Amino acid sequence: MKFPFGILIIASLLSACNHTQETTSAYSLKSGGEMPSSQQGLNVKHADLGFTIKPDQQIIDGVTTLTLMTTTPRKSFSVDLDRVFHISEVLVNGQVLAPELYSNPDGMLLVKQAVSGEFTVTIKYNGQPRVPVRAPWDGGLMWEKTPNGADWIATAVQGEGCDLFWPCIDHPSGEPTKVDLHINVPKPLVAASNGVLLNVTDEGATRTYHWQTKSLHNTYGIALNIAPYELLETKFTSVYGNSLDIQFFHLPERTEKAKILFAEIPEMINFFERMIGPYPFGQEKVGIAETPHLGMEHQTINAYGNEYKKDQFGYDWLMQHEFAHEWFGNQLTNDDWDHMWLHEGFGSYMQPLFAQYLHGDLAYKANLAKQRTGIVSKSPLVSNQVREVEQVYQHDTGPGGDIYTKGSWVLHTLRYLIGDDAFFKATKQLVYGTTDPQPGNFTPVFKNSADFVNIVNTITGKDMSWFFDVYLYQADLPKLVVDRKDDAITVQWEIENNKPFHMPVELSINGKITTLDLTKPVTLAINKMDVVILDPNSKILKYDQHIVDFQNFRKEQSAKK
Ligand SMILES: [Zn+2]
């Protein structure tokens, strides 16, 4: 997801009206965090998801069969499903359960049935999924209309989780190994989803689209995108030599604009493959669906809702950002939401990096300058505690938007400190678990911040903990304290908790650059007339009073409005 700069996220607890009169519980609104004991030790081997979409009534009929593996025999288990749905039947291993054997008072569907080893649970349910107030910043299923008045339906559930529209284990570790989706929609609507389209069954007034994905899959990345879509499609040979299917499901009234955006995709793929590594899901597709919300990193079917806007950087930043998540988010997944900066920081750094790749340093730094004004640094980027998504998005008690902006700037700073060779090697190792990824020699990986620190230490052969201790694990940005007198200048780092910080700093005197080793304060003789610039090439993320002043001014202005 892309963070809305300058706008406070209001996590709305409002829920849609529905026939059961229930509202989404606090349990369903959270995603991740502590897992209930009734779900621990369960692995999701396969999710078979059937949806009948009824736009007239704004309801869905769902039939989900999960193939689960339990590490130990158990007397009961649970899966997550929003209580707004009426559950008509639950089956375990194909046997219908008596209604008293299951209950779902608060969104944790508890099934009292002894199971061991591999087993299946089938849940038949129906109702109106939560309607988001401001997707994608709050989750659910949107029932919108296209400009021409056709039905336009989309899901976005990153913050609240998969349980808003299908029974799942709403936790990063709940990723199903394989997913089949059978999406039944009235004609002429088209259902675009994850993975590969196996077939379309014609049932007269409706059609069922059977999509299948065999890649490990973020649960919030499973998505329904429904509209009278038209499809732009091509085959593209990647720089690694494999053939990629590119599919862009767009609204029919926007064909001409969609064609222009579609033409941007191959170079975007080249960029990621040259800088980071192979497109992770080449066996399936490069997929994009036009959505009524801004965007979301739905695996192999990225949501695009930027309305084909142009900016000074010469590419569609939203599409590029969401596409970056195929590497940072979908191939590499944080093992807990606490490390979400690995998704969003890398995901956001890809925009300046792409601008540099296309147009050089001016575009790179202009893009970074824009991100710099969003850094708040009130809380550490990483808390080293188990976190729910919404806790990470809190501005006061969590990092909030810093996971995007500060994350990106930490990477910018790291890149210049350790050099391109080590930086991109470390990135590859993080994303693929190898520095030599080739199509077919890797599968999705789960990693956290400490893993990245270890990777950087190994690749550089140095202990870089001092860098990450300051930038990830405490809030205050390092501050350069400068004391300029007529004949001398003294420069030193001021660091929260007096942590060690061995960051060298460039200093330009009348255009001549020297690098200061600032492990201790440095004093240089200067002339009264000398023009002195610290960090003249803007390589380091540090405290900047003028940015704080600007942020405060902006806050005052928006408070007045
Ligand atoms: Zn994002």
Side-chain angles (χ1 to χ4, degrees), residues 236-250:
F236 174 69
T237 304
S238 86
V239 296
Y240 287 85
N242 56 329
S243 175
L244 303 176
D245 275 328
I246 308 177
Q247 298 180 2
F248 186 7
F249 293 86
H250 63 88

Side-chain angles (χ1 to χ4, degrees), residues 15-20 22 24 57-60 82 84-86 126-131 141 143 164:
S15 177
C17 296
N18 58 80
H19 66 285
T20 62
E22 287 287 6
T24 302
Q57 304 162 63
Q58 299 198 343
I59 61 170
I60 64 171
D82 195 345
V84 299
F85 295 110
H86 167 69
N126 60 73
Q128 187 190 51
R130 181 177 190 272
V131 177
L141 188 146
W143 306 92
L164 290 195

Side-chain angles (χ1 to χ4, degrees), residues 9 82 121 160 174 364 425 460 489 511 519 534:
I9 290 178
D82 195 345
V121 57
E160 295 77 6
Y364 174 71
K425 252 188 205 151
T460 58
I489 185 168
T519 43
L534 275 153

Side-chain angles (χ1 to χ4, degrees), residues 1-2 297 321 325 344 404:
M1 173 162 63
K2 186 67 196 178
E297 58 266 29
H321 176 90
H325 284 306
E344 296 300 354
Y404 299 81

Side-chain angles (χ1 to χ4, degrees), residues 25 27-28 39 64 78-87 104-109 123-126 162-170:
S25 68
Y27 177 81
S28 294
Q39 289 176 7
T64 290
S78 74
V79 295
D80 299 321
L81 180 66
D82 195 345
R83 66 183 177 189
V84 299
F85 295 110
H86 167 69
I87 296 172
N104 188 30
D106 61 358
M108 191 186 81
L109 170 58
I123 297 141
K124 298 182 183 176
Y125 62 102
N126 60 73
C162 43
D163 52 342
L164 290 195
F165 72 101
W166 59 280
C168 61
I169 291 181
D170 182 15

Side-chain angles (χ1 to χ4, degrees), residues 290-309:
E290 193 172 351
T291 51
H293 62 82
L294 187 60
M296 185 58 72
E297 58 266 29
H298 298 144
Q299 193 167 308
T300 68
I301 191 72
N302 274 289
Y304 171 80
N306 199 31
E307 299 181 336
Y308 309 94
K309 289 190 188 102

